[in-house]
Every structure is written in structure tokens, then in C-alpha cells.
Amino acid sequence: MRKFNIRKVLDGLTAGSSSASQQPPPPQHASGTREPEIQETLQSEHFQLCKTVRHGFPYQPSALAFDPVQKILAVGTQTGALRLFGRPGVECYCQHDSGAAVIQLQFLINEGALVSALADDTLHLWNLRQKRPAILHSLKFCRERVTFCHLPFQSKWLYVGTERGNIHIVNVESFTLSGYVIMWNKAIELSSKSHPGPVVHISDNPMDEGKLLIGFESGTVVLWDLKSKKADYRYTYDEAIHSVAWHHEGKQFICSHSDGTLTIWNVRSPAKPIQTITPHGKQLKDGKKPEPCKPILKVEFKTTRSGEPFIILSGGLSYDTVGRRPCLTVMHGKSTAVLEMDYSIVDFLTLCETPYPNDFQEPYAVVVLLEKDLVLIDLAQNGYPIFENPYPLSIHESPVTCCEYFADCPVDLIPALYSVGARQKRQGYSKKEWPINGGNWGLGAQSYPEIIITGHADGSIKFWDASAITLQVLYKLKTSKVFEKSRNKDDRPNTDIVDEDPYAIQIISWCPESRMLCIAGVSAHVIIYRFSKQEVITEVIPMLEVRLLYEINDMESPEVEQAPPLPTPVGGANPQPIPPQSHPSTSSSSSDGLRDNVPCLKVKSSPLKQSPGYQTELVIQLVWVGGEPPQQITSLAVNSSYGLAVFGNCNGIALVDYLQKAVLLNLGTIELYGSNDPYRREPRSPRKSRQPSGAGLCDISEGTVVPEDRCKSPTSAKMSRKLSLPTDLKPDLDIKDNSFSRSRSSSVTSIDKESREAISALHFCETFTRKADSSPSPCLWVGTTLGTVLVIALNLPPGGEQRLLQPVIVSPSGTILRLKGAILRMAFLDTTGCLVPPAYESWREHNVPEEKDEKEKLKKRRPVSVSPSSSQEISENQYAVICSEKQAKVISLPTQNCAYKQNITETSFVLRGDIVALSNSICLACFCANGHIMTFSLPSLRPLLDVYYLPLTNMRIARTFCFTNNGQALYLVSPTEIQRLTYSQETCENLQEMLGELFTPVETPEAPNRGFFKGLFGGGAQSLDREELFGESSSGKASRSLAQHIPGPGGIEGVKGAASGVVGELARARLALDERGQKLGDLEERTAAMLSSADAFSKHAHEMMLKYKDKKWYQF
């Protein structure tokens, strides 16, 4: 084995969790064996960990902003995240370090900057002129709580309202406070006897920048003259104010109140509103006031040149509309449209043609930020249709319960999935283009296809195109279509084993080459799908029912070395007749009235129309046995070349021939061992209780850690609030500090452990099953939660017609290997160290006309074995790579000697392990529960990367984390978002180029023309020299104790290498040069534009001079 330098491994790694910071010992070489030398090309410098992109809907949104010139949308969240959206494919995620909720966002319009106000009373200025936005300045208010901010268009002075009712002014260039302060008592003076409450609104008069409108929560509104530093008018109303909006002429404004009313005020008539409207109130007779309604949380007042103004509001429904969904109301002239939303409204903004507040607004759309969705309404079309949302925001349409990631797929897959998915699109959207179209796409350096598959709580499966760091939904499959649905709760069969989401997806097994798909659901059901471009009607849905029971009685076990005779396609010690494929199933009750032979779900008996895409090939259900519900499935595999699917749970294993629709093997886990069982088993009394586990895969609440059932592999453990465990099985979970650690006894004497040994990993392959084998043959490798690996030999009939007529013979081979911890993943290498993928049959259309089909069948039925081992000489060998929760081993085959071994972790356990391709080589990638991501070379298992990345704070991460080829990985970071990351140095280096640009140089539209008479007699927009008013020379310095200025990391963001490291310095220098180049480029463009405009001006001036040269003064 080649030596390696341990210093390289440690170089540049972040010191993380103390529990796993110790370097594992070098891999052990089995004594007395000499393995052939395999040249390994991967080194530690090929690896670097960094986040790439985040997809999905921003979790728990709290704020919204839009730049009308740059056409960029910003969303802030309750966890301090910031998401920026431009044209489809241009997205960006940033995070405030404090994690405090974002209460308000304000763009510096067309400046490439954004101000965020947080619940911890800090203001931050973000630079959006770089691909990864960064904070330039921060300001922390020490004595007052920030409640509202307002930044006038083309102004550098930001007004900040506070809970005490005061208004401070911040210079956004230097992020320092002005000495100019508007105190609440000065603003209201004697108009109110009590404190007016926090500032809920600030805006300047569209026609006079010197007048500031201040709204206080109690219902008082003040028009403040900035120059004279006193109030011009005060408007009082006896209901609390939620929002205020100006008419663009600056003569009227509208307020929304807590009793569901809108009041419209004339600026010069403060005594009472000129109009009071209750949009949703019932008008009572006798002139009485309408009944009070719910608060109107926000109102916008937008004008158009050609017609009536728009008044748009959220909330305000009457109290008697119980169960009514949240609404957005659009009032336009005499028409009022009430648009129902699926979720509660967080905020909304009206998109207008002009950024100038003193011009006709010409609104064209409303963007509505909901609790779990983003909706854009077209105001220009009748009926206000919504725009089709091009962003991947529907990941959480039903909660995600599992996901898989496939990089470097066959190139024809994405077009095939897109073509069948295009037919599923809804109709009735607006015909216009999506109006949020700012920014530019990055240069996609990655050219290989990537697909993400998400499984959901409602039984749906979504296929996503994830190529080149974008995400787009391709196709949606509803697996629940094959089952009868109960119309109401009383109608439900009493065989359900979960209280809700009976179709939730637990495991997905997919073969990209053959396009075969196999899923396991929470109701102990497995469905096998075949891809077809043709629509078919299935008269009878093929189904099998399997009794997979766990018994330790004095049963006969077959001798392991001797294959049991299998004349019928049924194997195992408890022969089981194939259940009839008629409907309904053979449900019965045993003599004592217990449920027996009943599946949890009922398959449809009527013909099923199957659209192009994935079509049901076979439904397999585990049944109740003697009053005991079937246990949930913990592992699953499908192989298109062999025509087989296999699944297991904590009772045993079942192998199914999906071509012949037959059960080939149905064995309890213990029966797999035969006479070689190393464990002392205790007979178990059957449980009579209903199984609660797994109820609601999506029940996991944020930030809590849920204990997992020991009988399940932690990667596929499905959690529930209702799950209860014996105390000796409960893991050590420390919720207080968000750590997730578990102590596990390595001994195998625990009765509970032994009696619940589950199947945790399954792998079809063509390899050596016994030591004496001279050539590889098809087989199935089985891993269990006790760390045992068993091998089942498969004897397949010849292809073509014979495959459908002759039985597949299966026999446990007696091969037993053992590791510490549950087996997670298995793979095979050839003699050169290359990965041997399982054999597959290339996809072909099955639903073709009969005569064509007959000719094709003989040609194409032969399985494509991609294993180079089939042509190997007898002397050549293979390597089996086996990864468990604690260690990894490389076994030499057929000798079954341990060639290499690596203890991955002592104090924690591996949640996910994958054997992946990277840089024309392969490695083992692991994610541990203590937050470490590690990679190991193959076959020698040298440590290449060990980085503390993410503490496991909830089971959602454990359930969804997965690695794939080319250094890609992902997990569900929140219930609505997927976080992608890379562990490849090359991808990290290219990431800057691949990311889209948010800021693009755009000319600011021209200001509205004031007109001749307005210019002559006044009445146009009045400007204000804010610098003179708020600058230090006139207003003095602000109190130092009021707010603290914190310089941000600025443009040198994301470079977190060692402070003195050369790599860190180079990265900083490179980034600084990039930024400087970007700025110089912008400067060059601006200079060129100025030169051309100066040139045009000089030509124009010369022409004017020639025209008027010889004229007298009275001729003008």
C-alpha cells in the first residue's frame, strides 16, 4: 500500500467538533495477503467543501422588496436569510450572521445595494454588485428598537422610525447617524395626551421632499416640515394604523386601520377624512357604521393615466367569514375583486412602470409573498390571472420525505422527462412574460446532466433538472393513483398503520439507464414503475401480497451451503403461495378475530388510465400477520437486467420477479443465516398493539431532535412525534445545545437488538459469491443493522421468451462478512480499481405495437452487463467496498480477505455513505451525525477530506442528505429549501463563474416632465437639499451611545482560509482584482457614454450657434 502524508489531510481543515477531531488511524492492511498495487489518483488537494446554491421557497418569509429599475426581488426571512431573485435561473442566497428576523428591506434603486433592518435593531447595507453579495456596513441601535425604515428614491438619507416614536436619519454611504432627530413629543405636541405608539409608517410627499408623513400606531398621522422642524398638520383617527400610502400628486393619502376601514385624507384638511371605506363591511341601514372587520394590514394607492386609480389591500375581511382563506382585494373604480390565497399573506408590493413617486404609477402586477408561496398577479388582464412562476418554489408543495441526487445521467433522460412533464402543465396563466427579469446568467462550466428526485408525504414524486446549479421541475408522478381513496375519516379502512399521509414515500430506487423506478411507502407498500412515452389503460393493476413475518420458533432452517430446491418461483423456509392477483385481496381474520392477510391499502379494482411517463408495473404490499401490522420497509433495490426487485424490513427480506409477477424469496432475517447464525436469539412474543411508528414523516418540528427507532437504519429511519421507545433504546439526544450524539453499544448480546435485526442495505451485482468461484455470476448482497453482510446467489434463465417462462432460482450462498454498525452502502471495483456498476438493460419503449415488439424482443432482451468482469480472466479479482455506520472495509474477491479497513468514527455514526466518481477516479464520501463530511480513497481507504460542516440538529437533514458524482451533494436545509454543496476543489474554483450576476448597468428612466405652466407658476415636485439639512455642518453629530457602526466584510467575502495562508491571500487578491476589474469595466462604460453624450451635445450646440448667428435679438 502506498504511503501518504497525514499533514496533507490536516492541511486547511477547519477545527470542528471535538468528538471527531481526532484523526482516525491509517487503514489497516490484512496481514499475510499481498494485494495488487492500484494506482490512486485522488489526493487531498482535489477536495474542498463549499456551499453552492440554495433552491426552493424561503422558509418563514418576513419581508419583501423590489427594485423597479433593476427588476430584482428580495425576500427576507425570520431566520435572517436573504433571498434575491432575478430572471429565471438567477437566484442568490445570503445570510445575516446574527440569525435575527428580517423586518424590512429597502433597495437603493438602481444602485446595486440593499438595506436590511433586523429584529435585533441592526441595519445592514448589502453590496449586490458582486456575485456573492456581502455586507458593506452595519449599524446597531443600542437604546431604541427599529420599527420602520424609508429610503426616498435617489436619496442617500434613510429615515429610521423606532418603537419610542422617534425618527433618526442614517447616511447610507457612510452608514453613520445624522444629528437631525424628529422626537415623538415634538411631532405630536398637545394633539394627544398619551404616547402615540411606535412609528409604523414614514414617507415623503411625492411632490415635496421637504414634507415627511409620519404614521404612529395609535392612529395619529403627522405631516412634518423638515426645514422648519415642526409639524404642518396632524391627523387623528380613533383606530390603530397599519399602513399609509400617498396619491402620486401629493394632495391625498390613504390609511388602513385595525377595524377593517380605509380613510382617505386631504393633506390640507386634517379635521376629518374626506372618505371612509369598509371594503368588506356589511352596510347597515339607518346610516349606522358598518360592522367592524379584521385589520387591513397593508394598503397601496396606485394611479393610472387612462383610468381610475387602483386601491390594493390585504386583510379586512368580516369576522363572520369563518374558514375563509386569506384574501388580496383589488379595488379599481367601481369594481372590487377579492383574490383568495392558499396561505396567509406576509406582504405584497405593486409593480409599477416608474420608480418616481410623483408620476402616474401605471401598476402592471402585484407580487404577493405568502407564508409558503410567491404569487404574481397580472393587473392588466381581465380577471387578474396569475403569472406562471418560473422559480423552483414548489419543492414543499407536499412535505419532502426523502430525496436522491444523480449527477452525470444519460443525456436523453432530461428531454424524455421534460416531454412527458410538459403535458401536466396547468392552463389559465397570464400570457405575459414573467416581469422579474433582472440580472444575468452565469457561464455554466458544468455540462453534464443532473437530476434530483424528491419523494413527498402525499405519495407524489418530482423529478427536477438540476444541471449547472439551476433547478427546474421536469415531471411529477402521483403514486397514490393506484389506491382507492377513502372519502372521509370514517370511511378509512381499519388496516391503516399510520394516522395521516398513508402514501408518503420513504425510499426511492432508480436506475437512470433503464429508467426503472421503484418506491417504498410508509404503508409497507412497494410500487415498481416502467417509463413509457405511450398512454395505456391498465385493466387490472398487477399486485402481490407478501407475508413477511418474524418468528423464532423451532423452525426448520435450510442448510446454508445447500441451495433449497425451488421448483416454483417461491423460496425460503416458509413456502408461501403467490397471492391471487384478483381484487379485492384475500383479506381474512384468524380464528381469534385478529386481522390477518390484509394489506394496509386497497388497490383500485377499476381500469387505470396511465398517462405517458412512469406507469405502474407491479404493486407489492406487506400484509397484517396474526393481528400484527407489517413493519415499514428499511431498504430497497431494483435491477432491470435481472428483472428483479428486493426489499427488507426488521422482519426479513422479500425478493420479487417483476417480469413474472412472482415472489421468489420470503425469509426472516435469521433464516438468511441458516445454521451460521452467530447470535443467540430469544423467542419474541408478537405485539398486539397497533404500530404507531412512521406516522407523518413530515411531522418533525423545526429545531427539535426526534428519537429514532433502533430497528431502522438511521439513514432510512422515519420519525414521528407519536413514536415511543423503550428507554434502553432511546439515543442520547441533547436538545438544549442542538447537538445530536448517540451512544451505541458495540456488543451484540442485547435481546432487543438481535430480535429486531433489519435489512439496511441491498445491492445487485455480478461478482464472486463463494471463495471457490472461478467466474462472477449474478447475486444479491444483503447488509443488516447488526453489521452482517450475506450473499444470495441468483440463477437467471436465458433471455427472451425463456426469461418469462422459467423460474429464477435463488439460494443463500453462506458467505458472511461482518462490520461494526449497520451496513449503509455496498459497491464493487474491478481489478484496476474502477467502479463496477450493476448490470442494466437499456431503456426501450414497451408499449409498441405487437409485431414490432416481437422482432425487437429477441434483439434487446439480452441484459447489458456493464461489468468488465465478464471478460476477465479467472486469475483476476474484484473488490467489494462495504461502508457501515462505524467503519469501511474493502474485501478482495473471491478470496474474501479484508484488503483494507478504516474506522470512520468511534464516537459518532455515519448517516450517509456513497461511493462516487470524481476527477476520473472514485472515492467513498461519508456524512457523520457529528457534522463531519469525510472522503476516503478507494480501494485503500486513505483519508482525503475531513471537514466539520453541519451539526445534525434534526432528522430532516439525516433523511435527505446524499452525495453524488463529480463532487456534488445536497440536503433539505429547511422544510421548503434544498441546499446544494460541493466537495470538489475544481467546482469551488469555477463557482464564481457559474453564479449569475444580480446587478447589470441600466439607465435610470427620465424624471417626469413638469410641464410648462407648472414650471412657470410652481406646483411641480419640490426638491430638498438633504445634505444641507442632515449633514454634520448643520445638524451636528449624533449621540455615540445611540448606535454603533460595524464595518462589514465588504467584497472580500467568502474567503475563509487560514489568515496567514498563501491560498487565502491569493484568493483575496484574486477577488479584489475581480472586483476592481468589474468596477473599472463599469467606469469605462460610463466614461464612454459620457464622451458620446458630450460629443452629441457639442454638435447640437454648434448647429444652434450656426442657426442663430446672424439673427437680431428681436427675431428670436
Side-chain angles (χ1 to χ4, degrees):
M1 195 185 99
R2 207 172 58 198
K3 290 181 181 175
F4 65 95
N5 188 346
I6 201 153
R7 273 181 294 185
K8 273 188 182 176
V9 182
L10 298 171
D11 182 34
L13 298 182
T14 321
S17 159
S18 57
S19 61
S21 57
Q22 301 146 359
Q23 184 65 28
Q28 299 166 16
H29 201 294
S31 57
T33 58
R34 181 76 188 148
E35 295 302 330
E37 185 76 20
I38 291 174
Q39 192 66 33
E40 291 178 6
T41 55
L42 284 180
Q43 301 298 331
S44 55
E45 48 266 30
H46 288 112
F47 294 88
Q48 185 186 337
L49 196 70
C50 70
K51 291 179 182 178
T52 52
V53 282
R54 184 173 289 203
H55 303 297
F57 182 76
Y59 183 59
Q60 294 179 328
S62 56
L64 183 67
F66 182 68
D67 185 324
V69 180
Q70 285 288 320
K71 302 282 174 72
I72 296 285
L73 187 78
V75 177
T77 74
Q78 291 177 31
T79 53
L82 189 58
R83 291 284 295 279
L84 297 142
F85 298 93
R87 65 180 60 202
V90 177
E91 281 183 45
C92 183
Y93 158 77
C94 319
Q95 178 68 47
H96 293 92
D97 290 339
S98 66
V102 179
I103 56 171
Q104 205 179 344
L105 295 169
Q106 287 266 301
F107 273 101
L108 278 68
I109 293 170
N110 206 24
E111 294 290 334
L114 174 77
V115 173
S116 57
L118 269 57
D120 63 355
D121 310 309
T122 52
L123 302 177
H124 304 276
L125 178 66
W126 289 86
N127 175 15
L128 309 182
R129 288 176 178 244
Q130 54 194 58
K131 290 190 171 185
R132 290 211 154 177
I135 292 173
L136 291 170
H137 300 282
S138 299
L139 194 66
K140 166 81 175 162
F141 281 78
C142 305
R143 296 190 309 205
E144 297 207 48
R145 309 227 56 185
V146 175
T147 56
F148 194 88
C149 298
H150 170 64
L151 181 68
F153 179 45
Q154 293 180 323
S155 163
K156 69 172 187 179
W157 298 95
L158 173 76
Y159 301 108
V160 181
T162 69
E163 199 173 47
R164 288 187 185 174
N166 303 324
I167 291 174
H168 301 279
I169 297 160
V170 176
N171 181 333
V172 290
E173 285 177 358
S174 60
F175 239 56
T176 51
L177 273 178
S178 160
Y180 191 115
V181 183
I182 304 170
M183 303 302 284
W184 69 269
N185 51 354
K186 196 97 187 290
I188 65 161
E189 283 188 339
L190 300 173
S191 63
S192 170
K193 292 178 183 176
S194 56
H195 190 280
V199 175
V200 293
H201 179 83
I202 308 168
S203 59
D204 45 342
N205 186 320
M207 286 295 178
D208 188 351
E209 294 173 349
K211 309 287 189 199
L212 199 66
L213 195 70
I214 306 161
F216 295 97
E217 193 180 64
S218 65
T220 301
V221 178
V222 173
L223 188 68
W224 182 264
D225 188 315
L226 289 166
K227 284 181 186 169
S228 64
K229 300 185 181 179
K230 63 180 177 44
D232 279 358
Y233 300 103
R234 297 182 181 89
Y235 315 84
T236 52
Y237 191 72
D238 53 4
E239 289 294 337
I241 287 177
H242 283 278
S243 74
V244 183
W246 279 102
H247 186 282
H248 87 272
E249 289 175 348
K251 293 174 183 174
Q252 289 181 354
F253 61 89
I254 188 167
C255 300
S256 75
H257 299 278
S258 57
D259 64 345
T261 57
L262 297 172
T263 53
I264 300 175
W265 301 78
N266 225 328
V267 169
R268 297 178 184 276
S269 309
K272 64 172 188 174
I274 55 167
Q275 195 180 355
T276 303
I277 312 165
T278 312
H280 296 284
K282 288 177 184 167
Q283 295 298 326
L284 302 173
K285 291 174 184 174
D286 309 328
K288 288 182 182 173
K289 275 180 76 176
E291 289 178 0
C293 295
K294 293 173 185 172
I296 295 176
L297 301 174
K298 185 172 182 179
V299 65
E300 292 208 338
F301 198 5
K302 302 295 178 186
T303 52
T304 58
R305 271 189 177 82
S306 56
E308 300 278 346
F310 281 88
I311 296 175
I312 302 164
L313 55 113
S314 64
L317 293 178
S318 63
Y319 281 102
D320 60 2
T321 51
V322 180
R324 181 111 177 240
R325 292 194 294 184
C327 293
L328 186 83
T329 306
V330 181
M331 299 167 73
H332 185 220
K334 291 182 179 176
S335 76
T336 299
V338 180
L339 310 174
E340 287 197 340
M341 302 290 156
D342 290 336
Y343 307 100
S344 54
I345 297 171
V346 175
D347 198 358
F348 74 88
L349 288 173
T350 310
L351 309 190
C352 300
E353 295 289 354
T354 177
Y356 293 93
N358 58 350
D359 194 8
F360 283 100
Q361 298 298 287
E362 303 296 346
Y364 59 89
V366 182
V367 58
V368 190
L369 178 64
L370 306 175
E371 207 172 42
K372 292 183 180 178
D373 203 1
L374 184 76
V375 176
L376 202 58
I377 296 158
D378 185 352
L379 289 179
Q381 254 179 275
N382 285 338
Y384 305 131
I386 64 167
F387 288 86
E388 185 175 5
N389 197 323
Y391 304 135
L393 302 182
S394 62
I395 291 169
H396 64 288
E397 189 178 14
S398 170
V400 177
T401 50
C402 64
C403 58
E404 293 294 336
Y405 190 6
F406 300 86
D408 219 359
C409 302
V411 288
D412 57 346
L413 251 181
I414 288 174
L417 287 164
Y418 181 81
S419 68
V420 294
R423 305 175 197 203
Q424 300 177 327
K425 292 204 169 168
R426 281 172 49 195
Q427 301 300 313
Y429 290 113
S430 167
K431 293 177 177 63
K432 291 185 183 168
E433 288 286 311
W434 182 255
I436 302 163
N437 55 12
N440 279 324
W441 293 303
L443 303 166
Q446 292 173 330
S447 55
Y448 52 86
E450 297 174 71
I451 290 176
I452 293 169
I453 307 179
T454 52
H456 300 264
D458 64 355
S460 61
I461 286 174
K462 286 183 183 172
F463 290 78
W464 304 82
D465 176 4
S467 311
I469 70 168
T470 60
L471 195 70
Q472 183 187 2
V473 71
L474 291 170
Y475 170 69
K476 181 180 174 181
L477 168 67
K478 292 180 179 173
T479 65
S480 60
K481 277 203 308 191
V482 299
F483 298 111
E484 299 278 7
K485 287 198 176 66
S486 49
R487 289 191 181 86
N488 52 45
K489 286 192 176 177
D490 307 329
D491 207 20
R492 251 190 200 171
N494 56 3
T495 52
D496 277 8
I497 58 169
V498 288
D499 293 338
E500 52 194 37
D501 301 326
Y503 312 112
I505 308 295
Q506 281 186 305
I507 311 171
I508 297 166
S509 177
W510 188 53
C511 173
E513 289 78 14
S514 66
R515 304 185 190 172
M516 288 301 294
L517 173 70
C518 192
I519 65 99
V522 75
S523 295
H525 63 280
V526 170
I527 310 177
I528 300 164
Y529 289 94
R530 205 186 277 279
F531 186 84
S532 171
K533 292 181 179 177
Q534 310 289 323
E535 184 178 287
V536 294
I537 293 174
T538 308
E539 294 296 329
V540 178
I541 299 166
M543 61 171 253
L544 289 173
E545 290 175 0
V546 178
R547 280 174 73 89
L548 199 58
L549 71 157
Y550 177 94
E551 290 175 333
I552 312 176
N553 300 329
D554 298 331
M555 56 172 71
E556 300 273 324
S557 294
E559 285 302 312
V560 174
E561 286 299 331
Q562 164 200 326
L566 291 170
T568 59
V570 177
N574 49 341
Q576 167 197 335
I578 303 165
Q581 293 171 32
S582 60
H583 302 271
S585 63
T586 55
S587 58
S588 65
S589 291
S590 54
S591 53
D592 53 358
L594 296 171
R595 288 186 207 114
D596 196 51
N597 257 18
V598 198
C600 302
L601 302 170
K602 191 181 176 195
V603 175
K604 274 184 183 170
S605 50
S606 54
L608 181 69
K609 180 182 168 185
Q610 304 207 67
S611 304
Y614 274 101
Q615 298 170 351
T616 308
E617 174 82 1
L618 178 64
V619 179
I620 309 157
Q621 291 197 84
L622 294 181
V623 294
W624 287 66
V625 179
E628 182 161 342
Q631 297 297 307
Q632 284 174 11
I633 290 156
T634 53
S635 56
L636 178 71
V638 65
N639 187 287
S640 58
S641 175
Y642 306 156
L644 303 178
V646 63
F647 58 93
N649 63 11
C650 57
N651 283 346
I653 186 171
L655 182 63
V656 171
D657 180 342
Y658 65 76
L659 297 175
Q660 294 188 22
K661 315 286 187 278
V663 180
L664 300 174
L665 183 77
N666 174 12
L667 285 179
T669 319
I670 305 145
E671 297 170 273
L672 276 174
Y673 289 97
S675 58
N676 289 9
D677 189 359
Y679 307 119
R680 180 174 55 79
R681 316 271 179 174
E682 298 288 329
R684 179 180 69 92
S685 61
R687 282 185 317 177
K688 298 284 188 275
S689 62
R690 177 184 161 92
Q691 177 201 14
S693 68
L697 289 166
C698 45
D699 277 354
I700 303 158
S701 55
E702 269 308 286
T704 60
V705 184
V706 187
E708 61 176 276
D709 191 335
R710 182 57 188 94
C711 79
K712 302 187 186 99
S713 153
T715 46
S716 60
K718 304 301 181 276
M719 297 302 97
S720 162
R721 287 184 294 225
K722 307 171 190 72
L723 195 69
S724 60
L725 293 176
T727 46
D728 60 324
L729 294 188
K730 282 190 180 167
D732 303 332
L733 299 175
D734 191 353
I735 296 164
K736 283 177 192 168
D737 64 357
N738 269 347
S739 65
F740 188 113
S741 60
R742 172 166 67 168
S743 62
R744 265 195 191 168
S745 161
S746 57
S747 73
V748 285
T749 53
S750 155
I751 293 168
D752 283 296
K753 270 184 168 181
E754 285 165 13
S755 63
R756 308 304 284 167
E757 181 179 12
I759 307 294
S760 57
L762 294 161
H763 189 86
F764 285 106
C765 54
E766 202 161 304
T767 186
F768 304 90
T769 50
R770 297 179 175 88
K771 289 182 184 181
D773 283 359
S774 57
S775 62
S777 59
C779 56
L780 169 67
W781 283 51
V782 181
T784 77
T785 48
L786 291 189
T788 307
V789 178
L790 305 128
V791 183
I792 296 171
L794 308 172
N795 190 347
L796 297 162
E801 289 293 323
Q802 294 299 310
R803 173 64 186 84
L804 299 174
L805 299 172
Q806 292 183 27
V808 178
I809 311 295
V810 294
S811 53
S813 71
T815 303
I816 292 182
L817 307 164
R818 204 160 292 122
L819 278 77
K820 265 195 263 177
I823 306 296
L824 301 179
R825 190 76 59 216
M826 296 177 278
F828 293 84
L829 314 181
D830 65 14
T831 191
T832 62
C834 296
L835 191 66
V836 181
Y840 62 85
E841 181 190 71
S842 294
W843 178 79
R844 67 187 178 92
E845 181 56 73
H846 272 253
N847 300 323
V848 288
E850 197 57 43
E851 58 275 11
K852 224 187 202 179
D853 195 58
E854 288 303 317
K855 289 175 194 168
E856 300 267 320
K857 202 179 265 183
L858 292 167
K859 287 184 205 167
K860 294 203 175 185
R861 204 68 193 113
R862 233 173 283 126
V864 180
S865 175
V866 289
S867 161
S869 60
S870 51
S871 61
Q872 282 173 356
E873 294 173 21
I874 292 169
S875 61
E876 293 193 343
N877 59 357
Q878 283 187 347
Y879 294 98
V881 181
I882 302 163
C883 175
S884 80
E885 290 177 325
K886 294 286 186 182
Q887 59 182 191
K889 280 185 182 179
V890 174
I891 310 292
S892 180
L893 297 175
T895 60
Q896 295 180 18
N897 292 326
C898 177
Y900 303 98
K901 176 179 157 187
Q902 176 69 260
N903 289 326
I904 298 169
T905 176
E906 294 293 339
T907 54
S908 184
F909 58 98
V910 178
L911 284 160
R912 177 82 183 206
D914 285 296
I915 290 94
V916 289
L918 177 70
S919 305
N920 298 318
S921 190
I922 52 166
C923 64
L924 168 66
C926 298
F927 172 53
C928 283
N930 60 14
H932 281 245
I933 287 176
M934 304 185 216
T935 61
F936 302 91
S937 71
L938 287 174
S940 70
L941 295 172
R942 282 180 301 120
L944 296 170
L945 174 81
D946 182 355
V947 175
Y948 176 69
Y949 171 70
L950 170 88
L952 182 68
T953 50
N954 53 51
M955 281 309 298
R956 185 188 58 252
I957 297 167
R959 200 174 57 231
T960 55
F961 199 103
C962 47
F963 297 96
T964 187
N965 297 329
N966 299 338
Q968 307 293 337
L970 66 78
Y971 61 96
L972 212 67
V973 68
S974 76
T976 61
E977 295 164 291
I978 285 174
Q979 176 67 56
R980 286 164 71 177
L981 55 144
T982 183
Y983 47 96
S984 155
Q985 169 70 33
E986 188 185 359
T987 308
C988 287
E989 284 180 358
N990 294 333
L991 186 61
Q992 196 70 11
E993 289 171 23
M994 293 164 67
L995 293 170
E997 290 187 57
L998 287 165
F999 180 78
T1000 48
V1002 180
E1003 285 292 318
T1004 302
E1006 278 190 23
N1009 193 346
R1010 292 170 71 185
F1012 177 73
F1013 289 106
K1014 278 187 177 175
L1016 199 63
F1017 303 113
Q1022 301 294 311
S1023 60
L1024 170 79
D1025 188 347
R1026 293 189 180 95
E1027 186 67 48
E1028 189 187 324
L1029 261 182
F1030 305 143
E1032 204 174 296
S1033 55
S1034 58
S1035 64
K1037 285 188 175 180
S1039 165
R1040 281 189 178 182
S1041 61
L1042 188 62
Q1044 177 194 355
H1045 176 259
I1046 305 156
I1052 314 297
E1053 183 268 347
V1055 183
K1056 291 176 182 170
S1060 57
V1062 178
V1063 178
E1065 289 301 326
L1066 281 169
R1068 284 191 187 86
R1070 183 178 163 192
L1071 197 53
L1073 277 169
D1074 280 356
E1075 269 187 34
R1076 188 161 171 252
Q1078 204 174 336
K1079 284 173 185 168
L1080 283 170
D1082 291 351
L1083 193 64
E1084 208 172 313
E1085 282 171 21
R1086 284 183 186 175
T1087 310
M1090 284 169 74
L1091 279 169
S1092 67
S1093 86
D1095 196 33
F1097 182 80
S1098 87
K1099 280 181 187 170
H1100 189 61
H1102 187 66
E1103 284 166 11
M1104 291 282 286
M1105 184 268 289
L1106 291 173
K1107 187 178 177 183
Y1108 296 113
K1109 190 169 82 171
D1110 300 324
K1111 291 193 177 184
K1112 305 291 181 193
W1113 66 268
Y1114 50 81
Q1115 291 176 310
F1116 280 95

